Amino acid sequence: EKQWAYEHMNQRDASIEVFGSIAAKGQVTLVYALRAVTSGTFTLPTADLVAMYQPDVWSRTQGGTTVIRGPWAEKP
């Protein structure tokens, strides 16, 4: 897999929209950073991809969970 050379990213506190081209049957990696503001166990939503102007061409990743820990996790 290669890192995706996307054309535009719209990054918000609760979501990321990324726009660019991917070759047919291509596979790319998107790297992004998150900011943890509290510790705990959180749900990772799916990543949904749709071909612009071709809504019948789409893909979805599997969701999951993640655990955020930090020095603040042990404090009351």
Side-chain angles (χ1 to χ4, degrees):
E1 294 177 37
K2 62 178 183 173
Q3 189 169 337
W4 189 22
Y6 57 85
E7 296 167 21
H8 177 74
M9 178 185 284
N10 182 14
Q11 193 169 5
R12 306 292 177 154
D13 285 341
S15 65
I16 300 173
E17 294 177 316
V18 185
F19 302 88
S21 299
I22 300 174
K25 297 186 181 184
Q27 187 171 1
V28 295
T29 299
L30 174 64
V31 177
Y32 58 93
L34 302 174
R35 176 183 46 168
V37 295
T38 187
S39 60
T41 301
F42 300 91
T43 300
L44 294 172
T46 61
D48 301 312
L49 300 102
V50 179
M52 188 177 285
Y53 309 118
Q54 294 179 303
D56 57 323
V57 178
W58 60 276
S59 181
R60 178 176 293 142
T61 65
Q62 183 175 352
T65 59
T66 188
V67 178
I68 304 296
R69 295 189 181 104
W72 62 88
E74 301 300 323
K75 303 202 189 266

